[in-house]
């Protein structure tokens, strides 16, 4: 993929001034309407190519690529696909670059943030499922580490019998294919029908900005082989896929964006997909959206509703782009929200 494509895609949607949305008005409206993202690979790749980290470089192999924990009778394992540098001052809406810079600085971060790509294995004893598949080879060596880390965690790709896609975006679904072959040959891919209808129909390219158009090509490369092999099962409403695992519709970031809820022995975790892109901005200001939402207002409403629900019910959350392992709780912090990571355990799970 050419560097010129990434540059073009990255800058396409930034020609107009972004204006802040009145926070109190937005939050009030969102709370009333709430019933309960993909960071575009093109923008990620541009950031990964050009960003300069302010942190000391550490050899990648020194960092753990998986983290396991128990959930009732189930085992949940966060598995890293890698991380990429992203300049969030160029991506966020309903804000200004100055506010984005300020919010990140509160957490000792510069505008360019090393962003995790997390996936999650759900081992129920009867099924071994994985939530999302990472970026495959679309980021070069910045992503695509899922299979190696999965094996390090004790799982072979052939053991995965269900892939649960939160949505069809390159950094969540491109890992379905590696070296032109199905990475999970024994798996059924579960995904909302709305996303299949949207991303597997090239006529819909006219409905998105230029940055997202490449997503249709990536959908063809990653999802189409499973469709052709009759290995895709779609759903149109909330429901149980198999014991202990159910879907929760959170359409907005994409037409079929889905949260997966897992429950065992009264313990719950929800995997949020792209309801959240950047912890240090969107917990403080849930109304701030990203260029890669297909429906930004609805994505913001879904995010606020998800945060409120997680606070009220106190269940665990697994997030695709919170620093690895991306598992924790959501708590209120005044008029905003706070991320509480799970307490680290060195015990073998």
């Amino acid at each position: 993929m050419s560097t010129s494509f990434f540059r073009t895609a990255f800058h396409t949607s930034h020609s107009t001034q972004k204006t802040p949305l009145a926070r109190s008005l937005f939050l009030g409206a969102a709370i009333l309407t709430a019933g309960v993202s993909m960071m575009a690979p093109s923008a990620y790749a541009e950031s990964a190519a050009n960003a300069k980290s302010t942190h000391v470089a550490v050899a990648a192999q020194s960092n753990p690529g998986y983290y396991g924990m128990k959930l009732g009778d189930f085992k949940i394992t966060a598995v890293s696909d890698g991380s990429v540098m992203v300049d969030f001052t160029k991506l966020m809406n309903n804000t200004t670059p100055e506010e984005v810079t300020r919010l990140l600085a509160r957490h000792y971060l510069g505008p360019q943030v090393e962003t995790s790509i997390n996936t999650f294995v759900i081992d129920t004893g009867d099924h071994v499922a994985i939530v999302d598949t990472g970026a495959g080879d679309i980021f070069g060596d910045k992503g695509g580490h899922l299979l190696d880390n999965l094996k390090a965690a004790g799982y072979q790709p052939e053991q995965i019998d269900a892939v649960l896609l939160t949505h069809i975006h390159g950094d969540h679904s491109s890992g379905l294919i590696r070296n032109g072959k199905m990475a999970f040959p024994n798996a059924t891919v579960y995904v909302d029908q709305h996303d299949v209808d949207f991303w597997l129909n090239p006529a819909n390219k006219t409905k998105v900005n230029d940055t997202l158009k490449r997503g249709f090509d990536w959908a063809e490369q990653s999802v189409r082989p499973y469709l052709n092999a009759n290995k895709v099962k779609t759903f149109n409403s909330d429901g149980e896929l198999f014991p202990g695992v159910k879907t929760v519709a959170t359409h907005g970031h994409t037409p079929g964006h889905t949260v997966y809820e897992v429950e065992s022995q009264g313990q719950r975790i929800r995997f949020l997909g792209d309801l959240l892109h950047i912890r240090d901005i969107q917990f403080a200001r849930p109304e701030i959206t990203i260029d890669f939402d297909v429906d930004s207002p609805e994505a913001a409403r879904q995010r606020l509703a998800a945060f409120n629900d997680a606070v009220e019910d106190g269940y665990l959350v697994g997030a695709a782009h919170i620093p690895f392992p991306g598992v924790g709780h959501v708590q209120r912090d005044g008029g905003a929200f706070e991320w509480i990571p799970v307490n680290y355990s060195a015990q073998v799970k």
Side-chain angles (χ1 to χ4, degrees):
M1 189 173 307
S2 68
T3 305
S4 61
F5 165 77
F6 287 135
R7 292 198 181 100
T8 300
F10 189 74
H11 295 295
T12 296
S13 56
H14 301 289
S15 58
T16 58
Q17 179 77 25
K18 294 180 169 58
T19 57
L21 193 63
R23 184 179 182 196
S24 58
L25 178 61
F26 180 93
L27 289 175
I31 290 170
L32 289 173
T33 58
V36 161
S37 72
M38 155 188 155
M39 290 189 175
S42 54
Y44 275 158
E46 171 74 2
S47 295
N50 296 331
K52 294 182 180 178
S53 175
T54 59
H55 300 287
V56 176
V58 179
Q61 61 267 27
S62 70
N63 297 325
Y66 64 93
Y67 183 80
M69 57 186 294
K70 295 291 287 185
L71 186 85
D73 293 330
F74 297 172
K75 181 179 179 180
I76 306 295
T77 305
V79 184
S80 173
D81 187 59
S83 63
V84 291
M85 296 295 291
V86 180
D87 187 341
F88 285 98
T89 62
K90 298 180 179 180
L91 298 176
M92 311 312 290
N93 298 301
N94 295 333
T95 184
T96 63
E98 292 75 20
E99 183 181 31
V100 168
T101 300
R102 178 181 62 79
L103 289 170
L104 292 173
R106 290 180 65 244
H107 296 267
Y108 300 94
L109 295 170
Q112 296 162 341
V113 180
E114 187 170 358
T115 302
S116 293
I117 310 167
N118 304 325
T119 71
F120 303 92
V121 173
I122 306 161
D123 189 340
T124 73
D126 295 320
H127 294 277
V128 181
I130 189 167
V131 179
D132 290 333
T133 63
D137 59 8
I138 65 173
F139 298 154
D141 62 0
K142 304 301 181 183
H145 303 292
L146 171 59
L147 297 186
D148 288 340
N149 288 329
L150 188 65
K151 292 173 184 176
Y155 294 100
Q156 296 298 317
E158 293 80 10
Q159 289 178 260
I160 304 297
D161 59 29
V163 173
L164 314 181
L165 292 181
T166 58
H167 60 299
I168 300 174
H169 266 168
D171 56 327
H172 295 257
S173 58
S174 286
L176 284 168
I177 299 295
R178 289 300 280 170
N179 299 318
K181 298 180 180 179
M182 288 189 285
F184 304 100
N186 299 319
T188 298
V189 176
Y190 293 86
V191 62
D192 189 290
Q193 182 69 53
H194 296 87
D195 253 34
V196 172
D197 291 343
F198 189 81
W199 295 107
L200 274 298
N201 181 357
N204 289 322
K205 282 187 178 182
T206 60
K207 300 178 181 179
V208 300
N209 62 43
D210 289 345
T211 304
L212 289 177
K213 292 186 190 303
R214 190 59 187 267
F216 293 88
D217 299 328
W218 284 325
E220 286 289 337
Q221 293 168 11
S222 61
V223 179
R224 180 68 69 185
Y226 287 82
L227 277 170
N228 292 342
N230 295 317
K231 288 180 172 290
V232 174
K233 286 190 177 180
T234 61
F235 47 85
N236 287 294
S237 59
D238 295 352
E240 188 175 69
L241 299 181
F242 40 86
V245 179
K246 71 177 186 179
T247 65
V248 180
T250 52
H251 304 166
H253 175 62
T254 66
H257 189 280
T258 298
V259 162
Y260 292 93
E261 178 177 295
V262 180
E263 182 171 3
S264 176
Q265 299 297 324
Q267 298 180 28
R268 283 196 292 159
I269 186 170
R270 282 190 174 186
F271 298 104
L272 299 188
D274 269 359
L275 287 187
L276 179 80
H277 294 90
I278 173 66
R279 171 196 61 184
D280 309 290
I281 295 173
Q282 290 175 308
F283 277 122
R285 297 264 324 267
E287 69 272 26
I288 292 179
T289 60
I290 198 164
D291 277 350
F292 312 116
D293 294 326
V294 174
D295 183 341
S296 290
E298 188 59 25
R301 284 191 288 270
Q302 294 286 2
R303 176 166 41 259
L304 181 63
F307 289 176
N308 279 319
D309 194 63
V311 171
E312 293 300 325
D313 286 357
Y315 50 73
L316 282 167
V317 164
H321 300 304
I322 283 181
F324 186 80
V327 179
H329 290 90
V330 181
Q331 189 54 270
R332 287 196 179 89
D333 180 17
F337 296 89
E338 181 183 9
W339 175 248
I340 312 295
V342 289
N343 190 52
Y344 174 77
S345 174
Q347 301 301 313
V348 177
K349 300 295 193 296

